């Protein structure tokens, strides 16, 4: 395979050196933003193990292949009381619309592979047309260079057919790894559409079972729902702390914590989240805030912000803004909506999954997505947001499309909004910095006037 | 069946049938508890109360619109289905039919019926109707067996609506055409049999089986097409109980729509109006119970909130604490 892609040893070494350096640098910057809660450190370790350490271990073509448990690191495993991590298959998912519950029910671990690696992006650039979105290029890049164990360990990819770039990615990445395209209906209000997605999920079951060799049963599905539900419970507890007028934790760090969920088993993530919640409670009672009263509270929304591409949230906070909330799929959105099981039969649970993964999803690939505006309005109210930064990845048409509607809606609410476009490289950082700084100044002026 | 066949997954035997109740989906709800209590009380009132607290029927100048057959002679309080389906007899009731029933009796009967129609409306369906309870029990039975329900998708609902109109027409008009609605009434058999009365069911017996089996697979199957319920819903504007939605809190997750036995879609799609009560809504509160967003749905009585959705309550079932 390595020869086919025309990537030689030296290139791979160069790649690894560069990509680990970038990832490590971003992690460092995120940690330095504000005092990192102790309980948040393991999440950062997971990101480090995924993007820095494991990659470093590569010796030539061989590298130790860490399972999803070893990615968590020794400390988390000790706390979770796991002595000998069981071997289990990983299933790569390329979007939040793949039901994690179902993957867990099949006895596998879902790994979200949407990546923000600049180095992988530059590799993927050779295989994907120039105007396509960088996220897709980064995923393709990792597929080709084989230097991200989290990716290479996956036995199968599940790629929802959402935007055009993802659609073509689902078709082309199949040459690197077995891929199941998952059809997402472009409309969702009609029952017939949910029915289509339900059939897709049913189709997915035997395909997953073939990989894992385990049965999806009513019991295992119920357990999967409970497990992910528990993670969502901890997350909704955490959101209560995040809604506090003064921040208890830097927003970029929160996004990193959410991102770590992509690479961790949901139960271990939930347990650690519980500890983080307790620390938040302590911080609240001691009045240890990381923001001051007159700092502008900003919401970031738009194209996915996947680690290590966290320059926008970093810049917001380094320029003196408070990243009070995010409406992005690698952040809050992936875990916000719970499964509401109406009927406890197997079919009932499948239906609940099908509707939970499409109906409340505010992804702009749906034809009518006015509900995203409602969701943002709701967040503005809950998090007392003063300004919105609308992030568009270069080439991400669907999000760009919705900017106008969003601008109109924000205009009516008298909430300032700017659109910032970025790519997977560091060349646009200066320009972003200037724009974000000006925006933050603008909000400061508005509030003091 | 071949394991690679996608259809296999739906019919796989391992996935149906009884399995240990591992799903953490129970949240206690005082509201729903009270609803069940009321339903049983209603059933008691219209089926056995007469025998136990009174010799035979009592208080039948007071009429509460639900579906419970007065052919059961132990009813306490009257159910107007007989007179609504025999309107000519209603106008004749001050006359010779029942000499002991005087004008005052008739007036009280009409006034109480109208009062319930106008001010209470279909909350009686959710809280009192014995036919409703019967269907709820069938549904509980199915759930306990983990048998998959038939989901009333919107095309099936579109198919059921005309059937409702036919029933309404029959209910109100059959008597004028010289027929007797009681001969085709699917509910004649249930409360009467429970009370130990024998009646001749005619065609109604057939419909009774249909709705019994139907309500096993479809929650409140008969209520979707019930003529009495529809008439009660007509005055929803004046109801003291109201169903409200806070549209800014809703994420359009559709859980309420899936939970709603009456398949009311607007409750999930509504984005402007505060009042989401429709003619079909019977105030059962299932939607509020399954809604994960704070305050998105609520029920009010005379403007005071008596039940509302709460994220905290909803998520608590996932809290991981051992029950
Ligand atoms: S048969 Fe039906 S309509 Fe007639 S009195 Fe009984 S319940 Fe009412
Ligand atoms: S709709 Fe259902 S609950 Fe209401 S009167 Fe008819 S049978 Fe009873
Ligand atoms: S809208 Fe709600 S209260 Fe009304 S019938 Fe449906 S579930 Fe019950
Ligand atoms: S359940 Fe609640 S949040 Fe979901 S669609 Fe209904 S009202 Fe909206």
């Amino acid at each position: 395979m390595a020869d086919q892609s025309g990537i030689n040893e030296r290139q791979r070494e160069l790649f690894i050196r560069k990509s680990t350096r970038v990832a490590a640098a971003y992690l460092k910057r995120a940690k330095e933003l504000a005092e990192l809660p102790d309980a948040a450190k393991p999440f950062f370790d997971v990101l480090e193990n995924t993007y820095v350490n494991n990659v470093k271990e590569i010796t030539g073509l061989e590298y130790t292949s860490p399972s999803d448990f070893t990615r968590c690191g020794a400390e988390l495993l000790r706390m979770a009381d796991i002595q000998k991590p069981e071997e289990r298959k990983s299933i790569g998912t390329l979007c939040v619309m793949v039901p994690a519950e179902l993957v867990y029910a099949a006895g596998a671990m879902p790994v979200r592979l949407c990546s923000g690696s600049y180095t992988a992006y530059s590799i993927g650039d050779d295989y994907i047309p120039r105007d396509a979105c960088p996220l897709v290029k980064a995923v393709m890049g990792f597929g080709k260079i084989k230097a991200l164990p989290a990716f290479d360990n996956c036995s199968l990819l599940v790629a929802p057919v959402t935007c055009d770039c993802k659609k073509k990615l689902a078709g082309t990445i199949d040459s690197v790894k077995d891929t199941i395209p998952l059809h997402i209906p472009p409309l969702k209000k009609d029952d017939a559409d949910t029915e289509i997605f339900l059939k897709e999920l049913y189709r997915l079951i035997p395909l997953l079972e073939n990989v894992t060799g385990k049965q999806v049963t009513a019991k295992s599905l119920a357990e999967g729902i409970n497990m992910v539900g528990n993670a969502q419970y901890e997350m909704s507890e955490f959101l209560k702390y995040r809604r506090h007028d003064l921040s208890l934790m830097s927003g970029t760090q929160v996004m990193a914590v959410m991102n770590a969920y992509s690479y961790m088993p949901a139960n271990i993530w939930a347990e650690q989240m519980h500890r983080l919640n307790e620390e938040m409670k302590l911080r609240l009672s001691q009045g240890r805030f990381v923001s001051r009263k007159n700092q502008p509270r900003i919401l970031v929304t738009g194209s996915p912000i996947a680690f290590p591409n966290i320059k926008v949230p970093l810049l917001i906070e380094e320029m003196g803004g408070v990243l009070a909330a995010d409406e992005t799929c690698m952040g809050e959105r992936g875990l916000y909506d719970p499964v509401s099981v109406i009927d406890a039969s197997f079919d009932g649970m499948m239906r609940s999954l099908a509707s939970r993964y499409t109906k409340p999803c505010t992804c702009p690939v749906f034809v009518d997505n006015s509900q995203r505006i409602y969701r943002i309005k709701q967040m503005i109210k809950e998090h007392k947001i003063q300004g919105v930064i609308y992030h568009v990845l270069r080439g991400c048409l669907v999000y760009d499309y919705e900017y106008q509607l969003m601008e109109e809606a924000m205009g009516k609410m008298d909430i300032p909004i700017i659109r910032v476009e970025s790519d997977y490289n560091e060349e646009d950082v200066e320009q972003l910095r200037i724009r974000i700084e000006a925006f933050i100044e603008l909000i400061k002026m508005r509030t003091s006037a | 069946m071949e394991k690679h066949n996608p259809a296999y997954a739906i019919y796989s035997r391992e996935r149906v049938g009884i399995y240990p109740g591992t799903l953490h989906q129970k949240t206690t709800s005082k509201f729903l508890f009270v609803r069940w209590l009321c339903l049983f009380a209603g059933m008691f009132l219209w089926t056995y109360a007469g025998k136990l607290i009174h010799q035979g029927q009592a208080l039948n100048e007071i009429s509460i619109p639900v579906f419970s057959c007065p052919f059961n002679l132990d009813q306490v309080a009257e159910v107007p289905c007989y007179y609504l389906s025999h309107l000519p007899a209603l106008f004749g009731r001050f006359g010779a039919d029942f000499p002991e029933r005087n004008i005052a009796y008739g007036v009280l009967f009409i006034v109480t019926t109208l009062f319930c129609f106008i001010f209470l409306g279909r909350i009686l369906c959710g809280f009192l109707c014995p036919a409703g309870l019967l269907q709820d029990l069938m549904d509980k039975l199915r759930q306990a067996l983990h048998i998959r329900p038939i989901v009333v998708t919107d095309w099936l609902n579109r198919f059921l609506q005309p059937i409702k109109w036919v029933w309404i027409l029959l209910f109100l008009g059959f008597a004028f055409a010289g027929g007797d609605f009681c001969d085709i009434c699917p509910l004649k058999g249930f409360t009467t049999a429970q009370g130990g009365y024998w009646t001749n069911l005619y065609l109604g017996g057939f419909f009774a089986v249909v709705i019994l089996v139907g309500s096993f697979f479809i929650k409140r199957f008969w209520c979707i097409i019930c003529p009495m319920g529809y008439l009660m819903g007509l005055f929803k504007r004046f109801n003291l109980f109201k169903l409200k939605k806070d549209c800014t809190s809703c994420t359009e997750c559709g859980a309420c729509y899936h939970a709603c036995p009456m398949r009311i879609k607007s409750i999930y799609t509504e984005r402007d109006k505060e009042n989401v009560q429709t003619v079909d809504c019977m105030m059962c509160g299932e939607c509020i119970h399954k809604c994960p967003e704070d305050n998105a749905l609520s029920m009010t009585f005379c403007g005071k909130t008596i039940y509302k959705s709460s994220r905290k309550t909803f998520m608590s079932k996932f809290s991981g604490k051992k029950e």
Side-chain angles (χ1 to χ4, degrees):
Chain A
M1 279 294 225
D3 308 313
Q4 279 170 11
S5 58
I7 292 163
N8 62 33
E9 207 67 5
R10 225 188 91 67
Q11 271 177 304
R12 178 175 284 117
E13 246 169 57
L14 259 175
F15 169 89
I16 291 165
R17 207 170 305 143
K18 206 170 151 206
S19 98
T20 48
R21 208 189 53 229
V22 175
Y26 274 118
L27 272 178
K28 187 157 169 280
R29 267 171 79 190
K31 280 185 195 166
E32 280 168 357
L33 272 178
E35 194 197 343
L36 184 68
D38 286 332
K41 281 186 186 129
F43 295 115
F44 276 71
D45 292 345
V46 171
L47 290 177
E48 199 169 321
N49 288 340
T50 311
Y51 276 97
V52 187
N53 295 344
N54 277 338
V55 188
K56 258 188 198 158
E57 280 166 21
I58 303 175
T59 47
L61 277 174
E62 298 288 326
Y63 54 84
T64 45
S65 105
S67 78
D68 50 64
F69 287 107
T70 50
R71 234 179 357 248
C72 293
E75 203 196 334
L76 265 180
L77 291 185
R78 186 181 51 74
M79 284 192 284
D81 208 16
I82 296 175
Q83 268 97 28
K84 201 168 147 285
E86 49 172 320
E87 272 302 313
R88 77 175 152 178
K89 296 271 168 59
S90 294
I91 305 284
T93 65
L94 292 178
C95 167
V96 289
M97 281 184 239
V98 182
E101 290 87 346
L102 203 56
V103 180
Y104 283 118
M109 148 91 191
V111 182
R112 280 195 220 152
L113 293 176
C114 295
S115 172
S117 167
Y118 300 165
T119 356
Y121 155 77
S122 61
I123 307 264
D125 212 13
D126 295 340
Y127 301 93
I128 286 177
R130 194 196 57 198
D131 288 342
C133 102
L135 190 145
V136 165
K137 288 182 188 170
V139 175
M140 194 61 173
F142 273 127
K144 289 288 179 186
I145 192 118
K146 302 202 178 305
L148 186 73
F151 188 112
D152 299 337
N153 277 339
C154 291
S155 313
L156 186 76
L157 302 185
V158 182
V161 179
T162 52
C163 59
D164 283 352
C165 290
K166 286 259 171 98
K167 181 196 282 172
K168 294 314 287 177
L169 178 72
T172 46
I173 206 161
D174 198 38
S175 63
V176 185
K177 214 172 248 315
D178 282 350
T179 307
I180 305 172
L182 194 71
H183 178 62
I184 305 282
L187 294 160
K188 55 185 172 182
K189 286 249 166 80
D190 214 49
D191 285 352
D193 300 312
T194 319
E195 225 50 27
I196 292 174
F197 191 57
L198 178 70
K199 287 217 180 77
E200 282 294 292
L201 294 186
Y202 269 119
R203 185 176 68 90
L204 193 57
I205 291 178
L207 298 171
L208 290 176
E209 285 175 342
N210 281 348
V211 170
T212 62
K214 289 192 187 123
Q215 275 268 334
V216 177
T217 60
K219 188 163 177 272
S220 75
L221 187 58
E223 277 160 8
I225 291 177
N226 289 339
M227 184 174 169
V228 178
N230 185 225
Q232 292 178 312
Y233 167 78
E234 296 299 345
M235 147 106 173
S236 75
E237 289 292 295
F238 181 76
L239 281 182
K240 282 186 207 156
Y241 296 112
R242 207 181 177 193
R243 280 185 201 131
H244 200 270
D245 286 1
L246 295 171
S247 295
L248 291 156
M249 181 176 168
S250 127
T252 313
Q253 292 170 359
V254 174
M255 287 186 81
V257 167
M258 296 298 160
N259 226 305
Y261 175 79
S262 311
Y263 309 105
M264 294 168 76
N267 53 345
I268 298 188
W269 188 87
E271 273 179 39
Q272 189 55 33
M273 207 60 191
H274 188 72
R275 289 175 206 118
L276 183 58
N277 281 335
E278 259 154 32
E279 193 168 341
M280 290 292 111
K281 196 169 161 192
L282 192 73
R283 278 194 173 190
L284 184 62
S285 65
Q286 293 172 342
R288 274 162 65 201
F289 300 108
V290 297
S291 68
R292 290 181 314 278
K293 203 159 186 186
N294 46 14
Q295 269 179 298
R297 294 174 65 81
I298 287 172
L299 174 137
V300 67
T301 180
S303 305
I305 297 179
F307 187 79
N309 177 36
I310 51 171
K311 60 187 168 190
V312 172
L314 268 177
L315 282 174
I316 294 173
E317 297 209 295
E318 284 172 355
M319 296 289 99
V322 173
L323 182 56
D326 74 273
E327 201 276 329
T328 61
C329 45
M330 294 298 274
E332 244 187 76
R333 186 192 305 160
L335 270 177
Y336 181 78
D337 297 294
V339 177
S340 190
V341 178
I342 311 298
D343 189 273
S345 65
F346 187 79
D347 190 61
M349 288 191 277
M350 289 295 285
R351 272 173 196 280
S352 300
L353 284 185
S355 80
R356 176 257 184 260
Y357 279 93
T358 49
K359 287 212 172 89
C361 183
T362 49
C363 180
V365 296
F366 293 107
V367 174
D368 165 29
N369 194 31
S370 52
Q371 74 190 80
R372 176 149 165 257
I373 293 172
Y374 292 117
R375 174 80 184 115
I376 286 175
K377 281 184 184 165
Q378 182 191 5
M379 291 178 87
I380 287 175
K381 203 170 96 190
E382 280 176 353
H383 294 270
K384 303 174 199 74
I385 299 297
Q386 294 163 312
V388 174
I389 290 187
Y390 197 97
H391 168 243
V392 178
L393 282 177
R394 222 180 67 105
C396 179
L397 283 181
V398 280
Y399 276 101
D400 218 357
Y401 240 107
E402 289 196 350
Y403 175 69
Q404 285 216 326
L405 294 172
M406 198 65 72
E407 195 180 25
E408 236 168 68
M410 293 302 114
K412 277 188 203 134
M413 288 178 79
D414 197 27
I415 297 274
I417 177 170
I418 52 161
R419 171 184 174 282
V420 296
E421 189 174 305
S422 81
D423 208 344
Y424 276 16
N425 57 47
E426 294 193 303
E427 281 151 31
D428 52 13
V429 168
E430 273 320 304
Q431 197 212 344
L432 284 176
R433 188 193 303 276
I434 294 168
R435 297 207 55 205
I436 291 174
E437 188 172 18
F439 185 66
I440 288 171
E441 286 309 313
L442 171 89
I443 299 175
K444 277 190 187 152
M445 262 157 53
R446 279 166 56 103
T447 43
S448 59
Chain B
M1 217 181 279
E2 183 58 36
K3 218 176 162 190
H4 303 267
N5 184 344
Y8 164 86
I10 300 183
Y11 302 106
S12 157
R13 297 252 343 260
E14 293 83 2
R15 301 195 184 100
V16 294
I18 300 169
Y19 66 93
T22 37
L23 189 71
H24 301 167
Q25 57 145 3
K26 302 246 156 30
T27 40
T28 44
S29 154
K30 265 189 224 139
F31 183 86
L32 293 187
F33 181 70
V34 171
R35 188 166 85 81
W36 277 98
L37 271 187
C38 291
L39 278 170
F40 278 107
M43 198 265 284
F44 176 77
L45 190 70
W46 280 296
T47 316
Y48 303 112
K51 201 175 281 172
L52 295 178
I53 54 180
H54 191 272
Q55 294 306 310
Q57 289 188 324
L59 289 178
N60 43 17
E61 50 281 84
I62 293 174
S63 138
I64 303 177
V66 287
F67 240 126
S68 171
C69 191
F71 281 65
N72 174 332
L73 297 177
D74 295 329
Q75 273 194 347
V76 168
E78 179 77 284
V79 166
C81 62
Y82 183 83
Y83 285 108
L84 285 176
S85 60
H86 300 74
L87 285 174
L90 174 64
F91 297 119
R93 77 179 300 168
F94 314 118
D97 280 8
F98 300 96
E100 76 281 11
R101 298 187 173 177
N102 52 23
I103 299 266
Y105 176 97
V107 168
L108 201 57
F109 181 89
I110 292 171
V111 166
T112 47
T113 308
L114 278 180
F115 177 86
C116 289
F117 267 22
I118 293 172
F119 293 112
L120 297 176
R122 287 197 91 164
I123 196 161
L124 297 171
C125 293
F127 277 72
L128 281 178
C129 180
L133 174 71
L134 181 82
Q135 297 171 75
D136 279 349
L137 290 176
M138 289 304 277
D139 179 67
K140 278 271 178 270
L141 177 67
R142 180 193 56 74
Q143 293 216 18
L145 297 173
H146 290 108
I147 292 172
R148 54 191 293 211
I150 295 172
V151 176
V152 183
T153 49
D154 29 35
W155 71 263
L156 184 52
N157 202 11
R158 273 198 292 276
F159 171 77
L160 287 172
Q161 291 310 310
I163 299 180
K164 175 170 85 182
W165 292 109
V166 172
W167 276 111
I168 294 169
L169 223 80
L170 284 174
F171 187 63
L172 293 178
F174 204 31
F176 291 105
D180 184 354
F181 182 81
C182 295
D183 290 349
I184 54 167
C185 175
L187 300 170
K188 196 177 185 183
F190 298 120
T191 44
T192 40
Q194 281 166 22
Y197 289 89
W198 288 102
T199 48
N200 208 335
L201 297 182
Y202 305 98
L203 201 52
F206 168 72
F207 290 126
V209 174
V210 171
I211 70 158
L212 203 62
V213 175
S215 64
F216 183 78
F217 289 105
I218 298 175
K219 202 174 187 179
R220 292 261 179 158
F221 172 62
W222 165 254
C223 296
I224 297 178
I225 51 178
C226 173
M228 174 76 92
Y230 182 80
L231 294 179
M232 286 151 78
L234 283 178
F235 299 92
K236 66 182 168 71
R237 180 199 304 240
F238 307 105
N239 284 183
L240 298 179
F241 291 90
K242 282 202 164 25
L243 190 67
K244 297 260 168 78
K245 177 165 176 179
D246 173 3
C247 294
T248 52
S249 306
C250 170
T251 58
E252 285 180 41
C253 71
C256 48
Y257 170 50
H258 281 262
C260 176
M262 303 303 285
R263 309 305 293 160
I264 297 167
K265 194 163 193 174
S266 60
I267 186 158
Y268 125 73
T269 51
E270 182 58 60
R271 272 304 186 177
D272 300 315
K273 279 197 306 215
E274 200 198 2
N275 192 343
V276 282
Q277 189 177 352
T278 67
V279 183
D280 289 322
C281 176
M282 53 188 193
M283 301 276 149
C284 64
E286 293 289 341
C287 51
I288 306 179
H289 185 51
K290 295 290 183 187
C291 173
E293 291 300 312
D294 270 337
N295 218 4
L297 292 173
S298 56
M299 195 180 293
T300 60
F301 172 65
C302 299
K304 262 203 5 238
T305 305
I306 50 172
Y307 185 37
K308 64 179 180 190
S309 57
S310 140
R311 190 168 182 85
K312 189 160 179 258
T313 321
F314 183 93
M315 294 307 287
S316 65
K317 64 177 161 245
F318 289 126
S319 72
K321 282 191 214 93
K322 301 273 174 294
E323 282 136 58

